[in-house]
Amino acid sequence: RKEVEQDPGPFNVPEGATVAFNCTYSNSASQSFFWYRQDCRKEPKLLMSVYSSGNEDGRFTAQLNRASQYISLLIRDSKLSDSATYLCVVKGESTDSWGKLQFGAGTQVVVTP
Amino acid sequence: NAGVTQTPKFRILKIGQSMTLQCTQDMNHNYMYWYRQDPGMGLKLIYYSVGAGITDKGEVPNGYNVSRSTTEDFPLRLELAAPSQTSVYFCASSYWLPRSTDTQYFGPGTRLTVL
């Protein structure tokens, strides 16, 4: 079983619509969670960290469900520029300790005009 | 700042050849990493370094070697290239402190094909 699993998609979303997708993780001791964005044939870039109480960054909302071991990302008012692959990233340790990141394979989002 | 730079961008190797992938960061980051990304798979950590002179294995170190003689540079060496090493290689760096987000900044990648 993969440590971090994502629906590969693609999620085809009309411009202006809302899209949401999840990521599940297998290590119940995981402490830190992130969403990275990766454009086609480019390097990953941090989109946002995911906090226990959930958090927003503009049109992006991230949620964490520890009981069911998944995190989610919701994109409101989708823009063409949101088309990318979104990588779910999990770290076993808290921010007090350094730890290796575990990457999911990514969820592809395609925003159409 | 250039951030994390990698060379070359593309390379085709024959089976059994060797090469070094170069990685340099100018952000004075203490941690550096090498990942490979295969189609449909998440990034896999090959090697990492917590500072100059210190390196350690990640999940998939076989067939690779690294060194970290300076804070800025973290080259990845492939000895005896095999088709299974065909992949996209990303170098990354971060400045880790306790209770920091430890954002990893990635280079643009090297696309390697072994034939």
Side-chain angles (χ1 to χ4, degrees):
Chain A
R1 182 184 174 186
K2 292 181 182 178
E3 296 205 34
V4 181
E5 297 209 54
Q6 297 185 247
D7 182 341
F11 284 66
N12 293 297
V13 188
E15 199 174 2
T18 296
V19 61
F21 42 90
N22 296 338
C23 153
T24 58
Y25 59 94
S26 60
N27 183 358
S28 60
S30 297
Q31 295 288 336
S32 303
F33 308 90
F34 312 91
W35 284 104
Y36 275 69
R37 171 193 168 126
Q38 186 172 25
D39 293 313
C40 187
R41 301 180 71 80
K42 300 285 189 181
E43 71 273 22
K45 293 182 181 178
L46 178 68
L47 178 67
M48 60 194 299
S49 302
V50 185
Y51 301 120
S52 296
S53 55
N55 49 295
E56 279 189 15
D57 184 358
R59 297 180 293 105
F60 297 84
T61 301
Q63 297 278 355
L64 168 63
N65 185 316
R66 287 190 184 273
S68 301
Q69 292 181 214
Y70 73 87
I71 67 173
S72 63
L73 182 66
L74 182 146
I75 308 174
R76 284 187 304 278
D77 188 22
S78 297
K79 311 292 184 191
L80 296 176
S81 57
D82 294 333
S83 296
T85 296
Y86 292 84
L87 308 180
C88 173
V89 183
V90 176
K91 188 168 79 166
E93 289 75 17
S94 71
T95 53
D96 287 339
S97 304
W98 179 83
K100 302 180 186 76
L101 301 182
Q102 299 290 341
F103 286 79
T107 294
Q108 186 183 8
V109 172
V110 179
V111 182
T112 55
Chain B
N1 287 351
V4 180
T5 57
Q6 291 182 238
T7 57
K9 285 187 168 52
F10 305 92
R11 183 72 186 268
I12 298 175
L13 282 182
K14 294 182 180 178
I15 294 171
Q17 286 186 319
S18 300
M19 75 166 293
T20 299
L21 281 67
Q22 301 292 345
C23 175
T24 299
Q25 55 93 6
D26 63 359
M27 297 176 282
N28 201 31
H29 285 171
N30 49 356
Y31 283 66
M32 294 188 75
Y33 316 83
W34 274 106
Y35 292 93
R36 59 177 288 172
Q37 186 177 35
D38 300 321
M41 306 288 288
L43 277 77
K44 297 294 184 188
L45 183 64
I46 304 172
Y47 270 96
Y48 67 99
S49 168
V50 304
I54 307 170
T55 62
D56 207 348
K57 296 178 181 178
E59 298 174 76
V60 289
N62 291 345
Y64 307 95
N65 275 301
V66 293
S67 60
R68 183 112 181 258
S69 56
T70 66
T71 300
E72 295 79 18
D73 299 307
F74 191 40
L76 177 72
R77 178 84 178 159
L78 277 73
E79 304 283 1
L80 297 175
S84 60
Q85 293 179 305
T86 294
S87 190
V88 180
Y89 292 84
F90 288 104
C91 178
S93 71
S94 68
Y95 194 82
W96 183 79
L97 288 173
R99 303 189 183 182
S100 68
T101 300
D102 187 30
T103 301
Q104 292 192 14
Y105 295 86
F106 286 80
T110 294
R111 283 166 176 74
L112 175 68
T113 301
V114 182
L115 301 174

